[in-house]
């Protein structure tokens, strides 16, 4: 019992083992030299038991008397250096090396350790109390769980959005496939009709030319027979020995009439091919265009009166160099600015209409004072500011379609791609928008009506007419009495 009490008095409060090179603090408490230095490195210079600060500049001194007592104790009868665990906690909660309770966690090795381990194996490792380490790990796991739950919520939302988009794609693909099949069916029907018509035309022309050839052949055969009979008669007279008979019959002999030139046959391959090329050229526009008669594009003059729209320019959207007049039916580009542009005005030389269309069939006309103007339609998100080197953005992106009228040519623009077309002399232009069939067609109305170009698209947003014009140019929206006046841009226009 006395030995056990003596051992408790010689036990370091930090490592719970016998003192190793014991030192004494000013407060009188003793500790292993290595233990107190390690403690101070982690917790500051103070006594672990009474918390009295250790004076700055002071040095730890070895406790000579205590060291001597320890030498005597160690020189005594051999004993088990490890303490008797006796009855206590679960052995699983004790150090398998030293048998002491696992009170600390070695962060360097990632395992639970006892106080002896901290002095021997883990002396220079980063350590923490089990409760403190658990609290830290619990906080980390809760934060990780929260992040995981957020990620799960985000993934579920993205999964729903993906399924929604997939469903939309399937529906869109089904509608698009049906629409394209219908267009190709119409095209094949039109091609079959034109094929039959072209073959019939060739057959009629061939029949007429061959009938003419047969008539000429019959004329030539009759003449050959007459010539042969005349020659035979001449040979008979030449063999006549009776002078009186010869003279009388030769006097009555009449030669056949003149043959005359050969009549040219009415057959021209170039004309047949030319007609066929013209038909095929007209049919090319029917691939995505509806029409009851193949090769006959719709003309503005054939539009029903309800299709004509009286439009007006939107003053809010007008560039600061644009001046509107005639109740917003006319716009002019002037050098002098009206002042700074508003929040909804185009930075580019553009203006849009106050009306928009989301469904139905619509037609309107505009008169330009000169070339260097652009007509088109756009979705609501058409940018108001300049985004590149171009002076306009009509047709430069996927949300607009435009026809640029130049002095010697036309340019059809969409999604940044242009198709160059022959120029037109007229200044009166028409635009036909059929949202049901996805067709936007531009027409020249002077000196005669002719289609210029047709865009084909699946329009899925409201479309607003938009215009660009060079300095000094004037555009006028043509109105017709009794024409339907569309609703505003915030309202859906239906046929």
């Amino acid at each position: 019992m006395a030995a056990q009490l003596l051992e408790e008095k010689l036990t370091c409060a930090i490592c719970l083992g016998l003192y190793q090179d014991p030192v004494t603090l000013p407060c009188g408490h003793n500790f292993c030299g290595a233990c107190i230095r390690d403690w101070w490195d982690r917790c500051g210079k103070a006594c672990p038991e009474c918390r009295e600060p250790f004076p700055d500049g002071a040095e730890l001194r070895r406790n000579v008397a205590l060291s001597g007592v320890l030498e005597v104790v160690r020189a005594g009868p051999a004993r088990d250096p490890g303490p008797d665990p006796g009855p206590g906690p679960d052995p699983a909660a004790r150090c398998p090396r030293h048998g002491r309770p696992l009170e600390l966690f070695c962060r360097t090795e990632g395992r639970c350790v006892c106080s002896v381990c901290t002095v021997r194996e883990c002396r220079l490792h980063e350590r923490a109390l089990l409760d403190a380490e658990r609290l830290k790990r619990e906080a980390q796991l809760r934060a990780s769980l929260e992040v995981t739950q957020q990620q799960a919520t985000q993934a579920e939302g993205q999964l729903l959005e993906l399924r929604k988009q997939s469903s939309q794609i399937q529906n869109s693909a089904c509608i698009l496939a049906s629409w394209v099949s219908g267009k190709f069916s119409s095209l094949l029907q039109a091609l079959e009709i034109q094929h039959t018509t072209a073959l019939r035309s060739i057959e009629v022309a061939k029949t007429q030319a061959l009938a003419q050839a047969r008539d000429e052949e019959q004329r030539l055969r009759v003449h050959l027979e007459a010539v042969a009979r005349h020659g035979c008669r001449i040979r008979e007279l030449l063999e006549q020995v009776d002078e009186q008979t010869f003279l009388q019959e030769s006097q009555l002999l009449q030669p056949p009439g003149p043959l005359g030139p050969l009549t040219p046959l009415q057959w021209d391959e170039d004309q047949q091919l030319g007609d066929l090329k013209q038909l095929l050229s007209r049919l090319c526009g029917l691939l995505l265009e509806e029409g009851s008669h193949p090769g006959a594009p719709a003309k503005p003059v054939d539009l029903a009166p309800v299709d004509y729209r009286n439009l007006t320019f939107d003053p809010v959207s007008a560039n600061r160099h644009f001046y509107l007049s005639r109740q917003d039916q006319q716009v002019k580009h002037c050098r002098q600015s009206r002042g700074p542009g508003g929040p909804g005005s185009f930075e580019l030389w553009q203006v849009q209409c106050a009306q928009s269309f989301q469904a139905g069939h619509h037609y309107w006309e505009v008169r330009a004072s000169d070339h260097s103007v652009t007509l088109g339609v756009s979705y609501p998100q058409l940018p108001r500011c300049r985004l590149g080197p171009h002076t306009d953005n009509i047709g430069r992106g996927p949300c607009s379609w435009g026809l640029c009228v130049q002095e010697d040519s036309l340019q059809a623009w969409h999604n940044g791609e242009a198709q160059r077309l022959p120029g037109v002399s007229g200044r009166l232009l028409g635009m036909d928008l059929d949202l049901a069939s996805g067709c936007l067609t531009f027409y020249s109305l002077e000196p005669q009506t002719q289609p210029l170009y047709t865009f084909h698209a699946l329009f899925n947003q409201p479309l607003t007419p938009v215009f660009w014009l060079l300095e000094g140019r004037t555009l006028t929206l043509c109105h017709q009495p009794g024409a339907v006046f569309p609703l505003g841009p915030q309202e859906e226009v239906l046929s």
Side-chain angles (χ1 to χ4, degrees):
M1 185 69 180
Q4 182 178 359
L5 182 61
L6 178 62
E7 183 177 345
E8 291 179 356
K9 294 297 183 180
L10 299 178
T11 299
C12 174
I14 297 177
C15 67
L16 302 181
L18 293 178
Y19 289 120
Q20 299 286 340
D21 296 329
V23 293
T24 302
L25 302 186
C27 60
H29 292 110
N30 300 303
F31 304 94
C32 297
C35 291
I36 190 63
R37 291 186 181 89
D38 180 65
W39 178 273
W40 285 350
D41 290 340
R42 293 184 292 108
C43 303
K45 284 191 174 183
C47 176
E49 294 191 18
C50 65
R51 302 300 179 186
E52 179 178 336
F54 186 76
D56 293 336
E59 296 182 0
L60 288 173
R61 296 185 178 274
R62 183 170 178 270
N63 190 324
V64 178
L66 191 56
S67 298
V69 173
L70 288 169
E71 291 178 359
V72 172
V73 171
R74 292 190 177 96
R79 62 183 180 85
D80 185 6
D84 181 14
D90 186 358
R94 292 182 174 273
C95 179
R97 299 181 181 179
H98 309 104
R100 290 184 175 275
L102 297 174
E103 301 172 341
L104 301 172
F105 182 79
C106 178
R107 292 175 177 173
T108 303
E109 295 186 4
R111 64 183 180 91
C112 296
V113 297
C114 66
S115 57
V116 178
C117 295
T118 61
V119 177
R120 298 178 180 176
E121 292 90 353
C122 306
R123 178 178 178 182
L124 301 179
H125 294 176
E126 182 181 0
R127 302 181 298 275
L129 295 175
L130 288 180
D131 293 342
E133 184 66 18
R134 179 181 178 87
L135 291 176
K136 179 181 177 181
R137 294 294 181 90
E138 286 181 350
Q140 291 176 348
L141 290 177
R142 289 191 181 94
S144 178
L145 178 61
E146 183 178 356
V147 172
T148 303
Q149 291 175 345
Q150 292 177 354
Q151 292 177 351
T153 303
Q154 182 181 6
E156 291 175 355
Q158 292 179 355
L159 182 60
L160 292 176
E161 179 65 23
L162 182 62
R163 291 174 178 172
K164 180 180 177 181
Q165 293 179 2
S166 299
S167 177
Q168 291 176 348
I169 290 174
Q170 289 179 352
N171 294 335
S172 177
C174 181
I175 295 174
L176 182 60
S178 176
W179 184 74
V180 171
S181 297
K183 295 303 179 182
F184 272 93
S185 177
S186 299
L187 176 64
L188 292 175
Q189 183 180 4
L191 285 173
E192 184 62 29
I193 293 175
Q194 292 302 331
H195 177 220
T196 303
T197 302
L199 293 181
R200 186 183 300 116
S201 176
I202 294 174
E203 186 66 26
V204 169
K206 181 194 74 172
T207 302
Q208 293 175 351
L210 293 181
Q212 183 184 8
R214 286 193 297 270
D215 292 342
E216 283 295 296
E217 182 179 356
Q218 181 64 26
R219 181 179 68 86
L220 292 175
R221 289 184 181 278
V222 170
H223 186 78
L224 285 174
E225 291 176 358
V227 171
R229 288 194 302 268
H230 184 70
C232 182
R233 185 57 181 161
I234 291 176
R235 284 190 293 271
E236 290 177 355
L237 288 176
L238 291 177
E239 294 177 356
Q240 181 61 250
V241 295
D242 185 22
E243 285 81 359
Q244 182 179 357
T245 302
F246 173 79
L247 293 175
Q248 287 178 352
E249 292 185 4
S250 63
Q251 184 177 358
L252 298 175
L253 184 63
Q254 295 291 333
L259 176 61
L262 182 66
T263 303
L265 300 181
Q266 299 299 318
W267 175 259
D268 188 350
E269 291 183 357
D270 293 337
Q271 181 180 358
Q272 295 296 325
L273 292 177
D275 294 342
L276 182 60
K277 290 178 180 178
Q278 183 179 4
L279 288 174
L280 294 177
S281 176
R282 294 168 63 188
L283 281 174
C284 288
L286 292 177
L287 176 59
L288 298 174
E289 186 174 344
E290 292 182 347
S292 58
H293 188 277
K299 297 182 180 180
V301 293
D302 297 330
L303 294 173
V306 72
D307 293 333
Y308 196 98
R309 308 300 183 190
N310 290 334
L311 304 180
T312 57
F313 293 113
D314 178 18
V316 176
S317 67
N319 178 268
R320 59 194 183 96
H321 289 276
F322 284 6
Y323 290 80
L324 272 59
S325 60
R326 296 186 183 179
Q327 297 180 343
D328 298 336
Q329 298 177 30
Q330 187 177 85
V331 61
K332 184 175 183 180
H333 185 171
C334 300
R335 179 184 297 272
Q336 185 176 0
S337 169
R338 293 182 287 104
S345 64
F346 281 103
E347 179 182 342
L348 303 160
W349 295 339
Q350 295 178 185
V351 63
Q352 69 179 23
C353 284
Q355 297 80 23
S356 62
F357 310 104
Q358 191 166 0
H361 193 175
H362 314 278
Y363 173 76
W364 61 94
E365 295 177 357
V366 60
R367 182 174 292 278
S369 62
D370 205 344
H371 58 80
S372 300
V373 297
T374 300
L375 295 71
V377 295
S378 73
Y379 289 153
Q381 63 265 30
L382 184 68
R384 294 295 193 267
C385 58
R386 183 191 300 271
L387 299 178
H390 304 289
T391 57
D392 71 297
N393 60 5
I394 304 175
R396 308 293 180 174
C399 65
S400 59
W401 297 258
L403 184 74
C404 181
V405 181
Q406 300 294 340
E407 182 176 6
D408 58 344
S409 66
L410 302 173
Q411 291 182 355
W413 280 90
H414 174 62
N415 203 19
E417 297 181 356
Q419 181 170 346
R420 190 177 181 88
L421 308 169
V424 294
S425 58
R427 294 292 174 258
L428 181 60
L429 303 168
M431 297 177 63
D432 181 68
L433 175 61
D434 189 354
L435 292 164
S437 61
C439 296
L440 172 65
T441 304
F442 295 86
Y443 294 91
S444 173
L445 307 179
E446 291 179 348
Q448 60 183 4
T449 299
Q450 59 174 325
L452 301 176
Y453 190 80
T454 299
F455 288 103
H456 303 282
L458 294 175
F459 301 117
N460 53 17
Q461 298 185 47
L463 289 172
T464 303
V466 61
F467 307 88
W468 173 89
L469 55 157
L470 192 63
E471 181 181 342
R473 304 307 192 258
T474 300
L475 283 179
T476 303
L477 294 170
C478 302
H479 282 199
Q480 287 188 2
V484 176
F485 203 90
L487 302 175
Q490 304 302 322
E491 303 172 279
E492 181 177 345
V493 180
L494 300 175
S495 291

